[in-house]
Amino acid sequence: MNSRKIEGVSPIDEKYIDEREMVSEGGPLGPENYHDGRSTEKNIQQLTDDFLKKALHSEKGREAKLLAKDGPLRQTVIALRAGEVMAEHNSPPAASVFVLHGYLKVTGLDEEVVKAGEIKILTHQRHSVEALQDAVFVLTTVTGVETE
């Protein structure tokens, strides 16, 4: 991959970006660059606010964007308006949700509520996700690996 200078990104992060396939245009997270090299918390809050606003104004009540792709690893930020449901779907070999804002209900073999600040490892069974409140979360998945 060609080395390139990305405004507002530290040299360490530049090296990471050059070594990984980051999905988007205009920087590691797209036209909106949430990394200022100083405060992760500030940038996560900005990302959360931006995606929540997009979901609330979306006809479908949701917004999602692939943040990072590295081999079988995927990290996606997803915002859902309260009441929106991601219908039952198959689970990849490994997945987790980290809720940045609001409350989610994850239903599979069991039903569990996950709130802001919590991380939940997802079941390897079919499951659905419902926003009990307006919610933003990071979905981390590992695909294409053998399951136990």
Side-chain angles (χ1 to χ4, degrees):
M1 191 177 285
N2 294 334
S3 184
R4 63 196 181 283
K5 178 69 177 157
I6 301 173
E7 187 177 327
V9 175
S10 73
I12 292 171
D13 290 326
E14 258 184 54
K15 181 177 185 301
Y16 174 80
I17 291 166
D18 284 345
E19 291 177 353
R20 303 287 191 261
E21 180 182 352
M22 301 301 282
V23 179
S24 70
E25 297 175 20
L29 297 177
E32 315 89 353
N33 190 344
Y34 298 99
H35 189 298
D36 66 5
R38 294 179 298 231
S39 172
T40 301
E41 182 179 325
K42 173 184 171 193
N43 296 309
I44 291 296
Q45 187 60 54
Q46 185 66 51
L47 178 134
T48 301
D49 294 346
D50 289 352
F51 274 77
L52 186 57
K53 187 182 303 180
K54 288 177 183 180
L56 293 176
H57 291 93
S58 167
E59 189 175 303
K60 294 184 178 183
R62 61 181 67 195
E63 181 72 18
K65 185 171 191 173
L66 183 62
L67 298 178
K69 176 182 174 187
D70 181 13
L73 176 72
R74 307 283 186 274
Q75 289 188 304
T76 305
V77 64
I78 301 171
L80 299 173
R81 184 171 44 217
E84 291 296 322
V85 176
M86 294 175 66
E88 188 175 272
H89 54 279
N90 291 327
S91 181
S96 68
V97 292
F98 174 38
V99 180
L100 302 172
H101 177 88
Y103 288 79
L104 297 175
K105 178 171 67 173
V106 179
T107 306
L109 292 177
D110 298 317
E111 185 175 293
E112 186 170 347
V113 173
V114 189
K115 63 183 179 182
E118 294 181 344
I119 295 174
K120 161 103 173 109
I121 294 175
L122 297 175
T123 176
H124 296 285
Q125 307 299 318
R126 290 181 61 79
H127 62 274
S128 64
V129 178
E130 178 183 357
L132 298 177
Q133 293 182 341
D134 296 336
V136 181
F137 60 99
V138 175
L139 171 66
T140 301
T141 61
V142 177
T143 60
V145 296
E146 292 184 29
T147 57
E148 294 179 41

